[in-house]
């Protein structure tokens, strides 16, 4: 009887949730899927819109596939071209990629499936990854405007923080595609200031209007402006943590949940278990994440990397997506690696990575030192953050030679400082009253229970950029000082002129 009662209560509390993950990046799907599955475990019926096909069959968990995205090749994202971009061009590249993704997604059968739902079909809640692709915002209106919880796997970019009224903290929180730390000199602070404002303005006046115009071709002219849509989102759950990033003041409607995707370590597959057990000198993991592929590295770079690995006493596991020959005897390749489970193994001495947020967070969680070879956007910042804290080193892609890479690897493995520092951070991160995944689930269900979280909004959410930063006040004060200066100068000039008229020289004349 009690079991039946509990089941009935769970059914009554369960909700129909639409979870939209439009960004075409497998790692972003990993983070979002962790939250979606956890909500499903709580009894909710979750429908997930994604580019990644679901391999497991989970009760009351459904996917709508925006098919064909990964089969295309986005030429602007080659390893060679990405590694040459500066912070400003990275902003444009990010939003160009967003528009490119929109063009694809709006033509998919998965998108048509969403449009063909019954007109009166309702979801109790929509969770929307707003990192990119505002062109799918009209789906909220299509499903009769239920409460919306925004999420972003992309740490916490200033543009998205600004949407939720968070103050711009350009003086000490580095822009996500720079190499700055939170201790910036004047020139770095100036660049940081310009980058933050450039992205906010570029997104507002170029990217979102272009995607709105595109969306009208598929949803019709009678759709809400995207800024209005974002203004009505209840909360933002972000992949940010002050220990894994730099400390930042957050508005009450922004929930930090950095590292929510990190799971307990699972047993390794039999073949990998044997390799790890035989690694008497320890293990080095080399993986460029889920978006970049090691087989896209130039032949020159591959040769240099393998030459460096051949000199190591450690065993190397390399995530390499195609066939490769002439491997040193201590190097093993696999098309896929259970990175979190390997990082959790006591034999792992080092992770060599592209510096994506999820990979660096996993390394920090497990206390494994890192060498970062960054290519794009936040990877540069993630690498410099680790290097600044003496938890790893950064090796530029263009600087990779056998000698440079070997020197960096041996320095990080043999110097106990790196391991000590990152293990201390791991202990701090784990010492928390709740897991970030539990925190995220709580706030999603909070919005489900109350239908909104508008009482957490700062007044700044309804203010323009110049009001939020008090630029108008500063301008008036500067204008006042200028007028006071001009008035003082005028009075002084008049006094001098009057004195000169009354001077003895003029009287004598």
């Amino acid at each position: 009887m009690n079991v039946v009662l509990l089941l009935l209560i769970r059914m009554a509390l369960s909700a129909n949730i639409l979870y939209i993950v439009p960004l075409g990046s497998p790692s972003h799907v990993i983070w979002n899927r962790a939250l979606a599955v956890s909500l499903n475990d709580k009894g909710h019926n979750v429908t997930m819109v994604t580019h990644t096909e679901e391999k497991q069959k989970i009760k009351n968990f459904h996917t709508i596939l925006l098919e064909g995205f990964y089969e295309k090749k986005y030429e602007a994202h080659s390893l060679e071209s990405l590694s040459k971009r500066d912070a400003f061009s990275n902003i444009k590249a990010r939003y160009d990629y967003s528009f490119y993704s929109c063009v694809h997604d709006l033509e998919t059968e998965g998108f048509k499936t969403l449009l063909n739902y019954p007109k009166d079909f309702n979801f109790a809640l929509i969770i929307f990854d707003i990192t990119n692709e505002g062109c799918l915002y009209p789906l909220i209106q299509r499903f009769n405007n239920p409460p919306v919880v925004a999420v972003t796997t992309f740490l916490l970019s200033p543009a998205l923080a600004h949407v939720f009224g968070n103050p711009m903290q350009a003086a000490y929180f580095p822009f996500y595609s720079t190499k700055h730390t939170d201790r910036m000199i004047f020139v770095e602070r100036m660049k940081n200031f310009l980058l933050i404002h450039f992205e906010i303005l570029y997104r507002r006046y170029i990217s979102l209007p272009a995607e709105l115009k595109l969306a009208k071709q598929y949803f019709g002219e009678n759709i809400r402006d995207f800024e209005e849509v974002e203004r009505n989102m209840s909360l933002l759950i972000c992949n940010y943590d002050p220990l894994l990033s730099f400390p930042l003041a957050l508005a009450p409607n922004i929930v930090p949940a950095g590292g929510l995707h990190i799971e307990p370590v699972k047993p390794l597959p039999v073949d990998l278990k044997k390799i790890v057990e035989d690694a008497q000198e320890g293990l080095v993991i080399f993986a460029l994440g889920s978006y970049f592929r090691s087989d896209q590295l130039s032949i020159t770079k591959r040769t240099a990397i393998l030459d460096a690995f051949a000199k190591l006493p450690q065993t190397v596991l390399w995530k390499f997506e195609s066939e490769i020959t002439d491997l040193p005897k201590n190097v093993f390749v696999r098309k896929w690696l259970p990175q979190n489970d390997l990082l959790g193994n006591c034999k792992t001495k080092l992770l060599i990575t592209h510096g994506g947020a999820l990979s660096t967070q996993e390394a920090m969680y497990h206390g494994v030192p890192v060498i970062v070879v960054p290519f794009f956007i936040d990877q540069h910042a993630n690498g410099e953050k680790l290097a600044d804290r003496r938890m790893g080193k950064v090796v530029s892609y263009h600087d990779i030679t056998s000698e440079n890479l070997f020197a960096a690897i041996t320095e990080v493995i043999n110097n106990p400082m790196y391991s000590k520092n990152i293990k201390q951070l791991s202990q701090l991160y784990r010492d928390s009253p709740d897991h970030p995944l539990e925190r995220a689930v709580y706030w999603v269900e909070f919005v489900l229970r109350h239908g909104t979280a508008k009482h957490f909004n700062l007044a700044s959410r309804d203010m323009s950029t110049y009001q939020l930063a008090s630029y108008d006040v500063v301008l008036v004060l500067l204008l006042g000082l200028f007028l006071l200066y001009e008035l003082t100068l005028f009075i002084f000039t008049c006094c001098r002129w009057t004195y000169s008229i009354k001077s003895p020289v003029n009287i004598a004349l």
Side-chain angles (χ1 to χ4, degrees):
M1 182 63 183
N2 290 336
V3 174
V4 174
L5 182 60
L6 287 172
L7 288 173
L8 290 173
I9 292 173
R10 183 172 180 176
M11 290 174 61
L13 295 176
S14 66
N16 207 20
I17 299 173
L18 178 64
Y19 200 133
I20 303 173
V21 188
L23 185 60
S25 170
S27 61
H28 287 250
V29 176
I30 290 170
W31 191 92
N32 281 290
R33 185 184 179 278
L35 177 55
V37 170
S38 188
L39 288 165
N40 175 258
D41 290 341
K42 296 275 285 186
H44 301 295
N45 182 23
V46 179
T47 301
M48 193 170 184
V49 181
T50 174
H51 296 101
T52 304
E53 190 171 357
E54 177 61 42
K55 295 180 180 179
Q56 298 182 34
K57 287 189 176 181
I58 304 173
K59 185 179 179 181
N60 295 327
F61 186 86
H62 318 280
T63 57
I64 295 177
L65 188 67
L66 301 174
E67 75 285 347
F69 187 82
Y70 296 131
E71 286 70 34
K72 292 182 177 180
K73 185 177 180 181
Y74 187 52
E75 296 296 338
H77 274 191
S78 69
L79 295 182
E80 294 289 340
S81 64
L82 286 175
S83 59
K84 295 176 182 177
R85 288 190 180 135
D86 61 19
F88 284 97
S89 61
N90 267 331
I91 293 173
K92 182 179 184 303
R94 173 187 171 185
Y95 292 107
D96 285 348
Y97 184 65
S98 178
F99 190 84
Y100 164 83
S101 303
C102 282
V103 171
H104 172 269
D105 290 351
L106 293 170
E107 288 290 340
T108 60
E109 292 300 317
F111 173 71
K112 294 173 185 176
T113 298
L114 286 165
L115 292 186
N116 289 332
Y117 266 65
K119 295 293 183 184
D120 58 349
F121 190 92
N122 290 315
F123 287 99
L125 178 79
I126 292 179
I127 302 175
F128 211 119
D129 188 332
I130 63 171
T131 306
N132 273 1
E133 288 193 61
C135 59
L136 295 183
Y137 282 169
L139 287 172
I140 299 169
Q141 188 174 341
R142 166 65 184 80
F143 290 108
N144 306 306
N145 299 305
V148 178
V149 171
V151 298
T152 178
T153 53
F154 193 56
L155 304 176
L156 180 59
S157 72
L160 298 184
H162 180 67
V163 167
F164 286 81
N166 210 56
M168 290 176 285
Q169 298 158 64
Y172 54 86
F173 194 79
F175 191 73
Y176 56 78
S177 61
T178 67
K179 299 178 182 180
H180 304 156
T181 69
D182 56 348
R183 300 285 191 266
M184 291 177 271
I185 62 175
F186 175 76
V187 174
E188 291 173 337
R189 285 190 288 112
M190 179 179 288
K191 181 180 178 181
N192 208 53
F193 177 91
L194 292 173
L195 283 167
I196 288 173
H197 287 77
F198 178 71
E199 185 190 33
I200 290 171
L201 294 173
Y202 191 94
R203 184 177 188 269
R204 181 174 184 178
Y205 293 109
I206 297 178
S207 178
L208 286 183
E211 293 185 8
L212 177 64
K213 182 179 179 181
L214 179 65
K216 287 181 177 179
Q217 299 175 23
Y218 295 85
F219 290 97
E221 293 292 325
N222 191 28
I223 57 176
R224 291 184 297 164
D225 183 81
F226 288 170
E227 286 192 52
E228 180 189 347
V229 174
E230 290 179 338
R231 174 60 186 82
N232 286 290
M233 292 178 178
S234 296
L235 291 170
L236 174 63
I237 299 173
C238 58
N239 187 26
Y240 164 81
D241 184 276
L243 286 171
L244 304 181
S245 184
F246 294 109
L248 178 71
L250 294 180
N253 58 355
I254 298 179
V255 179
L260 70 72
H261 66 288
I262 301 172
E263 300 177 336
V265 174
K266 298 186 291 293
L268 294 170
V270 175
D271 62 325
L272 291 180
K273 182 180 179 181
K274 179 69 167 60
I275 293 172
V276 172
E277 288 175 347
D278 292 341
Q280 299 301 320
E281 299 297 326
L283 192 68
V284 174
I285 303 168
F286 181 24
L288 294 180
S290 59
Y291 185 80
F292 297 117
R293 296 170 58 102
S294 290
D295 60 2
Q296 293 175 347
L297 296 168
S298 68
I299 299 298
T300 303
K301 296 302 182 187
R302 286 191 215 174
T303 303
I305 291 167
L306 286 173
D307 286 347
F309 288 166
K311 302 173 189 175
L312 297 173
Q314 289 82 19
T315 299
V316 179
L317 275 173
W318 187 358
K319 179 176 171 288
F320 199 91
E321 295 77 12
S322 57
E323 298 299 321
I324 184 171
T325 57
D326 300 323
L327 293 172
K329 62 180 181 180
N330 66 325
V331 178
F332 299 86
V333 299
R334 294 291 186 273
K335 293 181 180 179
W336 173 84
L337 291 175
Q339 183 171 285
N340 183 67
D341 303 326
L342 287 167
L343 288 171
N345 191 286
C346 62
K347 287 196 173 183
T348 302
K349 304 296 183 184
L350 175 70
L351 170 67
I352 305 174
T353 175
H354 63 310
L358 272 63
S359 292
T360 53
Q361 287 171 346
E362 288 173 3
M364 289 175 170
Y365 179 83
H366 292 293
V368 176
V370 180
I371 288 178
V372 175
V373 184
F375 293 95
F376 190 44
I377 304 188
D378 64 317
Q379 296 162 15
H380 297 281
N382 295 335
E384 292 300 327
K385 173 178 57 189
L386 289 162
D388 179 66
R389 296 175 177 180
R390 303 294 187 270
M391 299 175 184
K393 292 181 72 69
V394 175
V395 178
S396 167
Y397 175 72
H398 295 289
D399 292 338
I400 289 180
T401 63
S402 175
E403 294 75 18
N404 289 349
L405 184 59
F406 177 74
I409 293 172
T410 53
E411 162 68 13
V412 174
I413 289 179
N414 295 333
N415 189 334
M417 170 189 68
Y418 297 98
S419 178
K420 177 184 175 183
N421 289 341
I422 202 165
K423 279 180 166 54
Q424 285 177 344
L425 180 76
S426 173
Q427 292 172 357
L428 291 172
Y429 177 73
R430 291 167 182 251
D431 190 359
S432 174
D434 58 357
H435 190 280
L437 183 57
E438 295 172 353
R439 191 182 314 134
V441 169
Y442 172 83
W443 285 107
V444 169
E445 293 189 321
F446 178 94
V447 175
L448 271 172
R449 290 192 297 270
H450 300 283
T452 183
K454 64 182 180 181
H455 40 284
F456 291 130
N457 287 338
L458 295 177
S460 56
R461 196 171 183 185
D462 296 315
M463 299 168 71
S464 62
T465 304
Y466 73 87
Q467 290 175 318
L468 182 59
S470 295
Y471 295 146
D472 51 346
V473 175
V474 173
L475 182 62
V476 169
L477 289 174
L478 290 175
L479 181 61
L481 289 172
F482 175 75
L483 292 175
L484 181 62
Y485 168 77
E486 288 292 320
L487 179 60
T488 303
L489 187 63
F490 175 74
I491 293 172
F492 181 73
T493 304
C494 288
C495 289
R496 286 188 62 186
W497 182 75
T498 303
Y499 177 77
S500 65
I501 291 176
K502 296 180 178 181
S503 67
V505 175
N506 291 326
I507 293 173
L509 291 174

